[in-house]
Amino acid sequence: MAGSTILIIALSLFGLAVSFFYMKKVTAIPLDLGLNKEESDRLKSIHGAIAEGAMAFLKQEYKVLVWFMLAFAVVIGLLTDNHETASANEGWFTAIAFVFGAAISILSGYIGMKVATAGNARTTVSARNGLADAFAVALNSGAVMGFALVSLATLGMVLIYLFMKNVLPADVPNNVLMEVIAGFGLGGSTIALFARVGGGIFTKAADVGADLVGKVEKGIPEDDPRNPAVIADNVGDNVGDVAGMGADLFGSCAESTCAALVISAIAFAADINAMLYPIMITAVGIVISLVTKIVTHMLVTVDDEQKVGKALKMLLGISTGLMVVVMYFVTKMMIPDTFQINGIAYTDMGVYYCFLAGLLAGLAVGFLTEYYTSTEYSPVREIAKACETGAATNIIFGLALGYKSTVLPYIAIAIAIFTSWQLAGMYGIAIASIGMLGTLVIALMIDAYGPVADNAGGIAEMAGLDKEVRRRTDILDAAGNTTAAIGKGFAIGAAILTSLALFSAFITHSQNLMRALPEYADDYDLVSSITLLDPVVYTALFMGAVLPFLFSAMTMKSVGSAAFDMIEEVRRQFRTIPGLMEGTGRPDYATCVAISTQAALREMIAPGILIIGSPLLAGYLFGVQAVAGILAGSLVTGGVLAIASSNSGGAWDNAKKYIEKGNHGGKGSDCHKAAVVGDTVGDPLKDTSGPSLNILIKLSAILSLVFAPFFVNLGGILL
């Protein structure tokens, strides 16, 4: 076993140990800390309802996904055999990798949900002691998610590599081996699709129902225990923003690494250390993230409102700086001074600069997202000002902000793409995508922190704890809103680069397969055949461009349908349960949770079929060139639409919160009512459609990579 392999395994196990340490630290806090019996009983009841609802949804979702996973594995096994190697049917090995990747993604989601529902109430009770204690609990809960997910991703990839290396026949070349391992990324991404879409539908159905009936119609505060949808809303925060985001970024990590491995297997066929360099980047990030967390804790004591956001941003800054330094030496040790891909010579320093380009582009996209969605800057304040003239102008300003906010992030990503291509070709783009995920542990940590803090505030309100507790949790939640927006921007940027890397790997893989066929020459150049002058490519490009819009329409309509059911149920309960509005009656929380669960499971199927079916149908009917057109079209428009949707929704949300702080009339004013309408419109954009588009562009690309043998050998039946 190579030294790099042993080191990756050791770092992955270390990361899991760190995750377990923080889990024990969080769960060691008693739920009745500083509370009297009455307060303790209320808090435990609310906490139990949220945890039970979250796990019930996850259990139902995973029941559906297990059967789908097994069925799709059979399809992979039957259709993806590489005829180039007669000694083995790689399709079934790819199916094994697919199931393994899906299983780890499911495990990651479960861990994230478990710690989030354990940490929320403990953040609430810790807030009685002070802001610093509450912040530490929420961040430690996020740390469990970050370290566990990334460690499982790296460990899973190196284990599936070792397994396939030993079970596949010795005559199977390394590039085919890595193409088999791509099934791991497909498994993770497939689970991410349903986790994102299903979780997004769940949380927004509950959120919209709670807001429209509770805030607008009844005039009661957010997280008021009289609102029947409030538990479902809190459950949704965990379902969508913890399990969904975790699965999304797990998929990005696995997919970008798989893309790089496919290309590196050609460039470094005889150098195992260089070949595993993409996995090492993520593994090194585990140690860097722990050092970052310790240093940040030493430098910043979170004892007032201003220091919460400072500490979270410091985590990103320190981890980025450390990765810049450490990866220089890692690159020098693992990558040869010079190497060739397709006859073009590249250098180890070129690879390092590719990593740097992706890392800095990710940071730029994150902070640009903050600029457009934070209450500290003018764009959000302009939207809040627009609320003075009603909901219509609020929505107009929010849409304009979303469209405008796509320009600078796309420029940053374009610079990273151009630079990486010049320095190391297709391999450089793959490394840039992994570089953007270099601080993935930290990104997951601060992203999971957000819903934990949000839930903590809701629990404080529902349990009737004193106003100082709620004030402290609101401070944490406000910072979490900003980091959540940064996390969404980061995830979208990573998805764009990951998809481009996968596109490159798909072209590389397909070209090698076609060169092995008698009807193609040994030097056949697939790239030259993919041209806009080809009507197949041109038509497919158009069809790919509309897919993100159709997908967004389907997911938004799903939220609307589910929200309609939720609104009717909440209205019914207010109408029929005696004393509910007065606070003497008890709402039926369980029915609202069940409505969101059923709607999410029902409505996630059609978007899933659209994403999975489109490239498969295009490739079968029209061949590889059509698939390339589909991927290119959906990548370009999907990224733009994702950024615009997420930023519009985030800006509307924070404009509402800015008004609630006392600006422009404060809570209960006409201005606030207009802001609530905008926030309600933005909810499915920022938490369902926008984030789910990440999965669309990534899943289509890795699906095409895995099914390349099917497209080459059996595709194009109409041409």
Side-chain angles (χ1 to χ4, degrees):
M1 193 181 297
S4 58
T5 308
I6 296 172
L7 183 57
I8 292 170
I9 293 173
L11 292 174
S12 300
L13 294 174
F14 172 76
L16 289 174
V18 172
S19 177
F20 181 75
F21 169 78
Y22 282 117
M23 171 69 89
K24 297 298 288 185
K25 206 168 177 178
V26 170
T27 55
I29 299 169
L31 284 173
D32 56 358
L33 181 69
L35 304 179
N36 60 43
K37 188 177 186 309
E38 185 181 351
E39 290 173 333
S40 175
D41 288 345
R42 284 200 303 268
L43 183 138
K44 288 179 180 177
S45 175
I46 295 162
H47 167 258
I50 294 172
E52 184 181 343
M55 288 303 166
F57 169 76
L58 217 58
K59 185 179 179 180
Q60 292 298 318
E61 184 182 47
Y62 288 165
K63 278 184 179 178
V64 174
L65 293 184
V66 164
W67 288 109
F68 169 80
M69 182 175 68
L70 294 175
F72 198 48
V74 173
V75 174
I76 293 170
L78 293 172
L79 298 182
T80 61
D81 180 34
N82 185 345
H83 297 320
E84 186 183 352
T85 51
S87 59
N89 186 329
E90 289 86 3
W92 293 110
F93 292 100
T94 305
I96 293 171
F98 168 81
V99 172
F100 188 51
I104 290 186
S105 184
I106 287 173
L107 178 61
S108 299
Y110 175 81
I111 292 171
M113 189 77 82
K114 200 74 176 175
V115 71
T117 53
N120 52 15
R122 289 169 172 85
T123 301
T124 304
V125 297
S126 298
R128 292 181 70 95
N129 294 336
L131 188 63
D133 287 356
F135 175 79
V137 176
L139 192 64
N140 287 343
S141 300
V144 177
M145 175 74 166
F147 283 105
L149 189 146
V150 175
S151 299
L152 285 171
T154 53
L155 184 63
M157 281 185 285
V158 76
L159 289 180
I160 196 68
Y161 164 76
L162 291 173
F163 175 79
M164 294 300 176
K165 187 72 175 174
N166 285 282
V167 298
L168 282 169
D171 63 339
V172 174
N174 277 331
N175 65 299
V176 176
L177 170 65
M178 295 306 179
E179 289 151 11
V180 168
I181 294 172
F184 179 89
L186 177 60
S189 192
T190 304
I191 297 300
L193 165 67
F194 295 106
R196 257 308 193 191
V197 175
I201 293 170
F202 183 108
T203 184
K204 291 305 107 181
D207 197 3
V208 171
D211 283 354
L212 286 183
V213 182
K215 289 183 182 179
V216 178
E217 294 183 11
K218 298 298 181 181
I220 59 178
E222 189 173 4
D223 296 318
D224 193 297
R226 292 172 293 176
N227 194 327
V230 73
I231 292 292
D233 189 10
N234 281 276
V235 169
D237 289 337
N238 297 288
V239 167
D241 293 336
V242 177
M245 172 62 85
D248 183 357
L249 289 176
F250 172 88
S252 288
C253 179
E255 290 157 343
S256 59
T257 305
C258 288
L261 289 173
V262 168
I263 301 171
S264 68
I266 298 172
F268 312 113
D271 189 343
I272 183 64
N273 289 325
M275 197 160 53
L276 295 181
Y277 172 76
I279 305 178
M280 183 63 76
I281 296 174
T282 309
V284 167
I286 295 170
V287 178
I288 295 293
S289 298
L290 179 61
V291 173
T292 298
K293 190 175 184 303
I294 294 170
V295 170
T296 302
H297 179 72
M298 294 169 60
L299 293 177
V300 182
T301 301
V302 183
D303 52 7
D304 62 50
E305 184 172 352
Q306 284 71 37
K307 291 182 180 179
V308 177
K310 180 182 178 182
L312 293 172
K313 291 177 186 177
M314 188 174 286
L315 287 167
L316 284 172
I318 293 174
S319 61
T320 300
L322 289 174
M323 286 295 290
V324 168
V325 175
V326 173
M327 284 309 303
Y328 171 82
F329 297 101
V330 173
T331 306
K332 294 294 289 185
M333 287 189 293
M334 297 188 71
I335 301 294
D337 292 342
T338 60
F339 61 94
Q340 287 192 355
I341 299 177
N342 294 331
I344 302 173
Y346 301 110
T347 67
D348 57 346
M349 288 308 299
V351 173
Y352 171 72
Y353 290 130
C354 291
F355 163 81
L356 204 60
L359 185 68
L360 296 178
L363 203 62
V365 171
F367 283 113
L368 284 168
T369 303
E370 180 190 12
Y371 171 74
Y372 283 110
T373 59
S374 172
T375 57
E376 299 299 316
Y377 304 104
S378 60
V380 167
R381 296 188 178 189
E382 288 176 357
I383 292 177
K385 175 71 174 175
C387 292
E388 292 180 352
T389 53
T393 47
N394 174 28
I395 291 172
I396 291 169
F397 270 65
L399 289 172
L401 178 147
Y403 299 152
K404 185 179 180 180
S405 71
T406 63
V407 178
L408 291 178
Y410 250 61
I411 290 174
I413 294 169
I415 292 172
I417 292 170
F418 180 81
T419 303
S420 301
W421 183 273
Q422 292 295 109
L423 292 170
M426 292 184 291
Y427 182 67
I429 293 173
I431 295 300
S433 69
I434 300 173
M436 187 171 280
L437 297 166
T439 57
L440 182 56
V441 174
I442 297 296
L444 282 164
M445 188 187 304
I446 63 176
D447 197 79
Y449 154 92
V452 171
D454 189 9
N455 265 204
I459 292 171
E461 181 77 26
M462 287 183 283
L465 302 186
D466 61 78
K467 291 183 178 180
E468 182 59 21
V469 172
R470 184 62 203 252
R471 188 188 73 84
R472 289 167 179 167
T473 57
D474 281 348
I475 291 171
L476 299 179
D477 183 28
N481 285 330
T482 300
T483 58
I486 292 174
K488 288 183 175 69
F490 177 84
I492 294 167
I496 293 170
L497 277 181
T498 298
S499 300
L500 188 57
L502 289 166
F503 181 83
S504 300
F506 165 68
I507 297 299
T508 301
H509 186 21
S510 299
Q511 181 169 268
N512 290 337
L513 291 169
M514 295 172 84
R515 285 175 175 178
L517 297 176
E519 58 263 40
Y520 296 97
D522 291 341
D523 59 348
Y524 174 73
D525 186 7
L526 177 60
V527 176
S528 64
S529 71
I530 302 172
T531 170
L532 290 179
L533 298 178
D534 184 340
V536 172
V537 176
Y538 194 69
T539 304
L541 188 72
F542 268 60
M543 298 308 299
V546 303
L547 279 180
F549 292 90
L550 177 58
F551 176 81
S552 294
M554 293 169 74
T555 52
M556 289 197 65
K557 189 177 179 181
S558 295
V559 170
S561 299
F564 181 85
D565 294 339
M566 183 66 71
I567 290 167
E568 289 297 306
E569 173 60 22
V570 174
R571 286 172 175 169
R572 184 195 68 79
Q573 292 195 33
F574 273 115
R575 189 172 59 251
T576 60
I577 297 177
L580 182 57
M581 192 63 189
E582 292 76 20
T584 57
R586 179 174 173 79
D588 180 6
Y589 299 126
T591 297
C592 291
V593 172
I595 287 173
S596 273
T597 300
Q598 293 161 8
L601 296 177
R602 181 183 67 247
E603 299 290 343
M604 72 181 186
I605 296 172
I609 293 173
L610 176 70
I611 295 179
I612 294 172
S614 295
L616 291 178
L617 184 63
Y620 180 60
L621 295 178
F622 303 107
V624 171
Q625 285 83 355
V627 177
I630 290 280
L631 295 181
S634 63
L635 170 58
V636 173
T637 61
V640 173
L641 189 58
I643 294 173
S645 298
S646 293
N647 288 352
S648 287
W652 276 316
D653 185 12
N654 281 334
K656 180 199 68 176
K657 287 180 169 61
Y658 182 71
I659 293 170
E660 289 174 344
K661 289 180 179 180
N663 301 292
H664 305 289
K667 284 186 178 181
S669 65
D670 289 340
C671 191
H672 181 238
K673 291 178 181 177
V676 170
V677 173
D679 179 38
T680 305
V681 172
D683 271 338
L685 288 173
K686 72 178 176 67
D687 290 326
T688 306
S689 297
S692 297
L693 286 168
N694 304 344
I695 315 296
L696 182 149
I697 58 179
K698 291 186 299 182
L699 181 57
S700 298
I702 195 159
L703 186 80
S704 301
L705 172 61
V706 170
F707 279 86
F710 169 66
F711 300 145
V712 171
N713 295 314
L714 300 172
I717 63 170
L718 297 184
L719 298 179

